[in-house]
Amino acid sequence: MRAPVELPHPERDEISLTGVLFALSDPERLAIAQQLRDGPLDMAACHPSDPNVPKSTKSHLMKVLREAGVIRNEPNGRGRLLTLRRDDLDARFPGLLDTIVDAAERPEASGPDTTGS
């Protein structure tokens, strides 16, 4: 059995504002960040909001978040452990992560009410 692959992660000073904003602009990637807000999760337990997302799409979502510096994806036995890079993000962009995640959790974040009520 071969050892799990260590994936590259940007250093703290390489994390860009535009990269983080792009990574969190997708509702599925944002949902993953919201799940990781309370602590690390095994990749198998972390899921996009749509349960029908193919495994390849889920892997791509994780890759975008990792390459932007939003999450850390590390080997953990036979699986992978995902953690939110809160310390790095708060050091680079104080308050940004909480502002985005908090805004996304408010009911009005889903968009304007078009029902006319």
Side-chain angles (χ1 to χ4, degrees), residues 35-48:
Q35 291 171 51
L36 296 173
R37 189 177 202 185
D38 295 328
L41 283 176
D42 187 82
M43 187 168 172
C46 191
H47 53 83

Side-chain angles (χ1 to χ4, degrees), residues 24-37:
L24 295 175
S25 69
D26 176 82
E28 298 300 335
R29 293 191 298 257
L30 182 56
I32 292 166
Q34 289 171 313
Q35 291 171 51
L36 296 173
R37 189 177 202 185

Side-chain angles (χ1 to χ4, degrees), residues 83-105:
T83 55
L84 199 57
R85 293 182 64 179
R86 175 177 293 284
D87 291 345
D88 291 331
L89 291 168
D90 285 345
R92 292 283 288 150
F93 316 108
L96 178 69
L97 182 63
D98 285 331
T99 299
I100 293 171
V101 174
D102 288 348
E105 290 176 348

Side-chain angles (χ1 to χ4, degrees), residues 14-24 68 89 92-93 96 100:
E14 297 173 326
I15 299 172
S16 73
L17 179 60
T18 55
V20 172
L21 292 175
F22 172 77
L24 295 175
L89 291 168
R92 292 283 288 150
F93 316 108
L96 178 69
I100 293 171

Side-chain angles (χ1 to χ4, degrees), residues 46-107:
C46 191
H47 53 83
S49 58
D50 180 358
N52 299 316
V53 169
K55 187 176 180 180
S56 60
T57 301
K58 181 179 175 182
S59 293
H60 180 72
L61 297 171
M62 302 298 178
K63 178 183 177 186
V64 172
L65 289 166
R66 177 181 52 80
E67 289 180 346
V70 175
I71 66 169
R72 191 165 291 283
N73 182 336
E74 299 175 305
N76 184 32
R78 293 174 51 128
R80 301 199 70 82
L81 186 68
L82 302 176
T83 55
L84 199 57
R85 293 182 64 179
R86 175 177 293 284
D87 291 345
D88 291 331
L89 291 168
D90 285 345
R92 292 283 288 150
F93 316 108
L96 178 69
L97 182 63
D98 285 331
T99 299
I100 293 171
V101 174
D102 288 348
E105 290 176 348
R106 289 194 297 266

